[in-house]
Amino acid sequence: MSTAWYRQVGSEGDVVLSTRVRLARNLTGFPFPDRMNAAQKQDLKDKVFAALKDDSESLRLFDVAALPRREAVSLAERHLISPAFAECDGGSALFLSEDEGLSLMVNEEDHLRLQTFGAGLCLEDCLARADEMDSRLCDKLHFAFSDRLGYLTQCPTNLGTGMRASVMLHLPALTESKTIPLLAGTVSKLGLTIRGLYGEGTRAEGAVYQLSNQVTLGITEKEAVENLKGVAMQIVGEERRARERICRDPAYEDRIWRALGVLKTARLLNHKECMRLLSLVQIGASMGLLDVPAETVTALLTDVQPATLATAAGKDLDAGERDTARAALVRERL
């Protein structure tokens, strides 16, 4: 089995952790999900299952509502589903590829939420894979489409292409220099938004941010991706220059080495502290200060999440048990 994308380092991987392209689609003949009854949701699931039964992706089917809650939340922590979808109470389904680089949520905010993922900056590759699957589904399902408005979606902000492309950025130096608020204001003028680790309303744990397009109407998918890539590369350049400046400060270098020391020896690590320390180790590794493989830190950013720790343990863990397990895992990896 291939290594999951969230455990890899891709292009521009010192700053760009991952890429996602998401397409929102709805079928004709059904109301939007928040107005559907149980029978309609089941009927729609059956139609999607029939369309995918012989698909070349060999997607696995999950009833998210039937999973232990820790496993559902772990899927969200790995960005394979949305946090809201992890809380679904039935009538929903997840199709997931073996490499976890493609997921299809059924009956989320829209009937279908198709997502493709990749390590590093790979917007074109993710868009191509999403477009290929979208075309195969379109051949078997009837999507709601308007010649004037494009793809019809439950939320008007997704009308048009129905596409949200995003890149996950590790920006510790720009965070340290308190540049992020100014950056957020600048990118909003370019039709983009910058948010926390898990999107709107979430915090940037470990100085990890999500940069995505806001405009979906009156623009093509290719134009949106090109705009996002151009802005992302400008931010990558700014972050690298800021890293060069702060890493010349002996006090900051000392923080990096102390972070590695704590992670290698701690017996208890809460989530917030662990993410902060991993962020410092990651910048130290990217600047050549520490002999720590970038892949190791990238994988830990996912594996230390609360529900993912519990899923690996095969049982629910209380806060203290998670802190102990987290510290043991980090010591073992580093």
Side-chain angles (χ1 to χ4, degrees), residues 48-74:
V48 176
F49 181 80
L52 291 172
K53 186 170 58 175
D54 300 316
D55 192 83
S56 59
E57 285 278 1
S58 300
L59 301 175
R60 294 172 291 164
L61 174 62
F62 296 85
D63 181 353
V64 176
L67 291 175
R69 189 175 184 279
R70 62 177 179 270
E71 294 184 19
V73 176
S74 176

Side-chain angles (χ1 to χ4, degrees), residues 1 6 16 69 82 85 100 105 117 131 167 203 211 221 246-247 255 257 266 287 297 309 313 318:
M1 184 176 177
Y6 48 81
V16 185
R69 189 175 184 279
S82 65
F85 198 68
E100 300 189 353
M105 293 180 282
F117 310 90
D131 187 56
V167 290
R203 294 177 296 178
L211 177 72
E221 291 92 338
I246 66 171
C247 285
R255 286 171 58 189
W257 281 100
M287 297 300 293
V297 185
L309 280 172
D318 63 30

Side-chain angles (χ1 to χ4, degrees), residues 239-257:
E239 171 65 22
R240 286 172 177 163
R241 286 187 286 274
R243 290 183 186 187
E244 290 285 352
R245 290 192 297 271
I246 66 171
C247 285
R248 289 197 294 265
D249 180 358
Y252 194 82
E253 183 178 350
D254 181 68
R255 286 171 58 189
I256 290 171
W257 281 100

Side-chain angles (χ1 to χ4, degrees), residues 104-319:
L104 181 67
M105 293 180 282
V106 182
N107 290 328
E108 199 236 22
E109 181 178 290
D110 293 288
H111 294 152
L112 301 179
R113 285 286 178 94
L114 170 62
Q115 301 185 113
T116 55
F117 310 90
L121 186 61
C122 54
L123 282 160
E124 293 89 351
D125 290 344
C126 285
L127 178 59
R129 189 174 185 182
D131 187 56
E132 185 179 359
M133 173 57 80
D134 184 45
S135 296
R136 294 203 299 271
L137 288 170
C138 189
D139 288 340
K140 298 178 181 180
L141 303 170
H142 299 288
F143 291 151
F145 185 85
S146 162
D147 290 336
R148 184 170 65 89
L149 298 174
Y151 289 101
L152 302 181
T153 55
Q154 181 158 278
C155 181
T157 60
N158 291 320
L159 285 171
T161 62
M163 186 195 78
R164 295 283 181 177
S166 63
V167 290
M168 205 69 72
L169 303 170
H170 182 224
L171 306 175
L174 293 178
T175 301
E176 183 77 12
S177 63
K178 298 180 171 50
T179 307
I180 300 299
L182 177 61
L183 180 64
T186 301
V187 300
S188 68
K189 298 173 184 176
L190 301 171
L192 305 175
T193 184
I194 190 164
R195 295 168 172 163
L197 180 59
Y198 292 102
E200 188 173 4
T202 63
R203 294 177 296 178
E205 298 284 0
V208 177
Y209 299 84
Q210 191 180 111
L211 177 72
S212 62
N213 67 296
Q214 281 186 303
V215 180
T216 60
L217 189 61
I219 188 173
T220 67
E221 291 92 338
K222 183 180 179 181
E223 289 169 339
V225 161
E226 287 176 348
N227 182 45
L228 176 59
K229 184 177 181 179
V231 174
M233 284 306 301
Q234 291 182 48
I235 295 174
V236 167
E238 289 294 326
E239 171 65 22
R240 286 172 177 163
R241 286 187 286 274
R243 290 183 186 187
E244 290 285 352
R245 290 192 297 271
I246 66 171
C247 285
R248 289 197 294 265
D249 180 358
Y252 194 82
E253 183 178 350
D254 181 68
R255 286 171 58 189
I256 290 171
W257 281 100
R258 285 175 182 270
L260 180 61
V262 172
L263 291 173
K264 280 187 171 184
T265 58
R267 264 47 188 174
L268 292 172
L269 279 173
N270 66 44
H271 177 256
K272 184 176 181 180
E273 179 186 23
C274 187
M275 291 294 286
R276 178 179 61 81
L277 296 174
L278 284 173
S279 177
L280 286 164
V281 169
Q282 189 170 46
I283 191 173
S286 72
M287 297 300 293
L289 298 173
L290 304 179
D291 185 19
V292 177
E295 293 85 352
T296 298
V297 185
T298 297
L300 279 171
L301 290 173
T302 297
D303 293 342
V304 301
Q305 300 301 318
T308 300
L309 280 172
T311 298
K315 61 180 182 179
D316 291 337
L317 303 174
D318 63 30

Side-chain angles (χ1 to χ4, degrees), residues 26 29-45 91 106-108 110-111 154:
N26 290 281
F30 291 89
F32 287 126
D34 69 345
R35 294 181 175 273
M36 293 172 71
N37 58 39
Q40 290 171 318
K41 288 185 176 182
Q42 185 60 50
D43 187 17
L44 189 140
K45 283 167 58 179
V106 182
N107 290 328
E108 199 236 22
D110 293 288
H111 294 152
Q154 181 158 278

